[in-house]
Amino acid sequence: MNIAVFASHNGSDLQALIDGCKDGKIKGKVCAVISNNPDAYALERAKNENIDNYCINTNLYPGKDEADEIILKILDSHSIDIIFLAGYLKKIGTLVLKKYEDRIFNIHPALLPKYGGKGMYGMNVHKAVIEAKEKFSGVTIHRVNEEYDDGDIIAQTYVDVLETDTPESLADRILEREHTFLVEIVNDITCGKIKI
Ligand code: GRF
């Protein structure tokens, strides 16, 4: 399967996917990386791996579907089968959502439906989990729709919240778990165990 990854920042999840494909743990290939942020380290990672990479700053396209049309052309040119959002902070436009219905996935660093939605990204998520004195947090992989963190949940894994945890220490432990979980679940998608 041909995979496109959308990422706005560091791209460690992207790296896990690239490595998973290279090691044969995922039956697929990361063919394109798209970011909205020209400074995203995710773009550097793609360059280092000779993966076609694109910076599409959606704010620069005032027309309703303009950015979407560009993104769709890129996806078509790589015959993309599935899209994975790995720390992508923009909403997906309606044209892309329609064409790739049920084939766009996102990873979220908490147990949705709690701790998701607008503003729930980065350290905000882990701060909220610790403030609520949760005993567990985790990772959710879900399909993407027009709302933030709202589509069908396809897989979750738990991570303990320790009494000594700070938002930062919890974030580190969850991110580490993401890297293995992501590979496992994307492989299930590419093998057909999870239907698209
Ligand atoms: C991850 O925590 C992921 O769950 C969230 O964004 C973060 C991306 O991290 N959606 P990185 O940029 O891949 O290191």
Side-chain angles (χ1 to χ4, degrees), residues 7-15 42 45 85-89 106-110 121-122 126 139-140 149 171 174-175 178-179 182:
S8 299
H9 293 294
N10 178 28
S12 68
D13 281 340
L14 161 68
Q15 192 68 53
R45 292 182 192 268
L85 310 187
Y88 187 65
L89 294 182
N106 180 47
I107 184 162
H108 185 78
Y121 61 86
H126 308 295
V139 180
T140 302
D149 305 325
I174 289 182
L175 191 59
E178 282 184 39
H179 297 155
L182 188 56

Side-chain angles (χ1 to χ4, degrees), residues 48-149:
N48 293 339
E49 304 281 346
N50 287 321
I51 297 171
D52 286 332
N53 56 89
Y54 308 85
C55 179
I56 312 291
N57 181 349
T58 47
N59 296 335
L60 298 180
Y61 301 96
K64 185 176 162 284
D65 296 327
E66 247 180 291
D68 252 26
E69 276 158 7
I70 295 170
I71 291 173
L72 276 181
K73 266 197 196 134
I74 295 169
L75 298 174
D76 275 353
S77 73
H78 291 281
S79 305
I80 293 300
D81 299 299
I82 60 169
I83 300 172
F84 209 92
L85 310 187
Y88 187 65
L89 294 182
K90 287 274 165 185
K91 274 193 179 169
I92 299 297
T94 42
L95 293 186
V96 176
L97 274 178
K98 198 165 169 216
K99 169 128 194 218
Y100 284 88
E101 198 182 357
D102 292 337
R103 293 187 288 148
I104 311 177
F105 302 89
N106 180 47
I107 184 162
H108 185 78
L111 295 171
L112 293 175
K114 283 174 110 176
Y115 308 109
K118 199 168 188 311
M120 275 294 168
Y121 61 86
M123 224 36 89
N124 296 351
V125 177
H126 308 295
K127 271 188 199 144
V129 167
I130 287 180
E131 272 165 22
K133 302 198 186 319
E134 297 282 4
K135 296 267 181 281
F136 302 101
S137 187
V139 180
T140 302
I141 294 177
H142 65 93
R143 292 187 208 269
V144 171
N145 64 15
E146 52 289 329
E147 301 301 333
Y148 285 116
D149 305 325

